[in-house]
Amino acid sequence: MHQLWGSRFSKAPDEMLHNFNSSLPFDCKLYEYDIEGSIAHAKMLGAQGILTNEETDSIVSGLQEILNDINTGKTSFNLEFEDIHTNIEKLLIEKIGETGKKLHTARSRNDQVALDIRLYLKKELKNIQKSILVVISTLLNLQKQHTETIMPGYTHLQRAQAVTFAHHLGAYAEMFKRDFERLNDCYKRVNVLPLGSCALAGTPHKIDRLKTANLLGFDAVCLNSMDGVSDRDFVIEALSGLSLIMMHLSRFSEELILWASFEFKFIEFDDSYATGSSIMPQKKNPDIPELIRGKAGRVYGDLVSILVTLKSLPLAYNKDMQEDKEPLFDGICTVRKCLEILPGMLLSLKVNKDNMLKAVHNGFLNATDVADYLVDKGVPFREAHRISGNLVKCCEEKGCTLMDVPLSLYKQEFEGIEDDIYEKIAPETSVKSKNSIGGCAPVAVKSVIYTNEKWVKDNEIN
Ligand code: ARG
């Protein structure tokens, strides 16, 4: 076993210790970021005269070759070296000789690991944002087809008032917009260069951290070297953002599962997005949304895992922090998969408009419309609420709905009710009447769809 710190030790580490200590099995994923960071670092050292031009060129081209060798499968990693940073450095020394040993001037694995994760996250946050935009665009397209598709809106999972399918989907478009914006905000704090913090105290070498930041596309450099190597707030922020995405995905999944049930029958999953049962031939199971719902727990676990790892951790770097990468990678990978599978599933859904509308006719979803009608007649809302409640009670006793109770009964409760009540409380009228900003009226929803289409365009990522 080859250790970077070998000279101070008289014995090689125990093999079990070595394997326990190693992060290579998972941080090998960071190789391209590690190389990208090393190239920028070498260029900066060269520009500062810390490396000669020849040394810089040799290191940079050596690293580029290593990247190519890894990408083409010519080189693989050596488990004898503890992590990806050590592996790349060893490969460089093997390739270019003694000069390779100069690359680690004015840096440490502690700032390197923080750098690699930040570079990785910068790329992955953008990937996730791209997938969110696809989900939002899919929702907007689906919404356009369903601005007049009336369905029950629920509170307490009890039928409450008529809304449209487009309106219900629009709620998720808003959630995913917020998710997107949260990642923008997280990105700002990821986009800070830790390199140059070195082990924890900074360096006596005359480095130019702003130049390195510039070469790597960072907006700023961290201003405290101890914080630079021990900060993982940005990992927590990213996983919080991812957890919220999963929370939204799981609420949506739950609704899709309910709507596809025999009890609701509002939607049907396409055969390509459903599975059967090995024993019950009639079954068509919504495994995909169930799995998405389940994976929310997994991503919350990733978040909690890093929160707990960092709790009470003294400054600066501690090996505990090596435990940051697996939950982060898992969270990113899980969210990406869930976001990527959703659009296809949504586009293949069969929407049972008739069943949605049928469900609106039962359950007194227009009781509030009766009250609103009375308010238009000058009745104070609280009184109107009472009158409408009485009417619902009468209907329940008679086994009828507010649409087919005779006008005489309406008049018994309030003389001013005319036969225009039936038109006013019909689901179509009810839905159309909710045309306040953010309401479910087709015209209000269309205007939001338009706004959101523009939002998607304005936020496109190349
Ligand atoms: N492999 C470590 C990690 O992933 C980075 C190395 C820092 N190790 C050290 N002993 N200072 O966090």
Side-chain angles (χ1 to χ4, degrees), residues 393-413:
K393 198 150 105 200
C394 288
C395 286
E396 270 184 330
E397 280 160 13
K398 291 184 189 304
C400 63
T401 72
L402 287 164
M403 284 302 278
D404 45 40
V405 68
L407 186 61
S408 55
L409 203 135
Y410 272 117
K411 282 194 174 292
Q412 252 176 42
E413 286 298 327

Side-chain angles (χ1 to χ4, degrees), residues 12 39 44 51 73 76 108 111 157 195 224 282 305-306 329 332 334 337 350 377 389 394 430:
I39 290 177
M44 179 278 291
L51 295 176
S76 54
S108 144
D111 53 0
L157 209 52
L195 209 61
N224 181 296
Q282 86 285 9
S305 151
I306 178 73
F329 296 162
I332 294 274
T334 306
K337 275 195 238 160
K350 186 170 162 272
K377 300 261 173 200
C394 288
S430 162

Side-chain angles (χ1 to χ4, degrees), residues 73-351:
K74 254 206 242 161
T75 299
S76 54
F77 303 119
N78 187 344
L79 266 168
E80 284 195 28
F81 306 127
E82 181 189 320
D83 53 26
I84 188 62
H85 325 294
T86 322
N87 259 272
I88 302 290
E89 192 181 327
K90 291 284 181 190
L91 285 171
L92 181 69
I93 295 165
E94 241 171 60
K95 193 175 271 292
I96 67 167
E98 286 299 294
T99 308
K101 295 184 180 170
K102 294 199 169 181
L103 174 63
H104 213 55
T105 313
R107 77 171 190 189
S108 144
R109 280 183 301 156
N110 297 349
D111 53 0
Q112 237 182 310
V113 65
L115 171 73
D116 293 3
I117 302 173
R118 284 175 186 268
L119 286 170
Y120 161 83
L121 253 183
K122 275 173 52 153
K123 182 155 172 214
E124 288 300 337
L125 289 179
K126 292 285 172 206
N127 281 335
I128 288 186
Q129 285 186 307
K130 280 185 203 165
S131 298
I132 294 178
L133 289 183
V134 178
V135 168
I136 295 175
S137 299
T138 310
L139 284 170
L140 295 175
N141 284 334
L142 213 53
Q143 279 186 275
K144 278 196 210 160
Q145 296 164 35
H146 292 287
T147 52
E148 318 260 343
T149 306
I150 295 175
M151 70 180 287
Y154 296 80
T155 64
H156 309 268
L157 209 52
Q158 306 287 320
R159 289 180 193 170
Q161 285 188 288
V163 294
T164 66
F165 190 46
H167 194 54
H168 201 129
L169 294 173
Y172 287 101
E174 296 305 319
M175 294 177 222
F176 292 124
K177 273 167 61 194
R178 290 196 294 276
D179 289 333
F180 183 96
E181 283 166 354
R182 239 185 303 275
L183 296 188
N184 269 347
D185 198 51
C186 170
Y187 191 92
K188 284 186 222 154
R189 279 172 295 278
V190 173
N191 202 12
V192 179
L193 178 87
L195 209 61
S197 301
C198 301
L200 77 162
T203 176
H205 302 293
K206 299 288 167 266
I207 58 171
D208 182 351
R209 297 189 64 210
L210 294 177
K211 184 175 180 66
T212 319
N214 197 271
L215 287 172
L216 290 169
F218 281 98
D219 273 353
V221 300
C222 63
L223 294 181
N224 181 296
S225 57
M226 294 180 77
D227 182 51
V229 287
S230 62
D231 169 27
R232 292 294 185 273
D233 293 5
F234 59 96
V235 174
I236 295 174
E237 279 190 59
L239 279 169
S240 311
L242 298 181
S243 294
L244 278 163
I245 295 172
M246 289 310 297
M247 184 266 282
H248 295 149
L249 285 172
S250 82
R251 292 182 80 171
F252 196 17
S253 298
E254 169 69 7
E255 298 211 291
L256 293 173
I257 294 163
L258 280 175
W259 293 342
S261 69
F262 197 81
E263 284 67 18
F264 279 77
K265 281 201 174 153
F266 286 177
I267 56 167
E268 199 181 315
F269 288 106
D270 190 73
D271 282 359
S272 56
Y273 283 93
T275 58
S277 156
S278 58
I279 174 165
M280 298 166 281
Q282 86 285 9
K283 289 296 287 292
K284 186 162 171 183
N285 294 329
D287 288 30
I288 302 301
E290 286 173 305
L291 262 179
I292 296 178
R293 189 177 60 183
K295 283 178 192 294
R298 173 178 177 143
V299 176
Y300 294 0
D302 293 329
L303 169 64
V304 171
S305 151
I306 178 73
L307 274 170
V308 177
T309 299
L310 288 178
K311 180 186 174 295
S312 314
L313 212 58
L315 301 188
Y317 178 86
N318 298 268
K319 195 68 174 215
D320 316 42
M321 294 170 81
Q322 182 163 289
E323 293 294 310
D324 58 357
K325 282 168 283 294
E326 285 166 293
L328 179 64
F329 296 162
D330 184 73
I332 294 274
C333 174
T334 306
V335 170
R336 273 188 76 172
K337 275 195 238 160
C338 293
L339 287 171
E340 279 163 16
I341 203 161
L342 188 63
M345 184 174 74
L346 289 178
L347 290 175
S348 72
L349 281 183
K350 186 170 162 272
V351 180

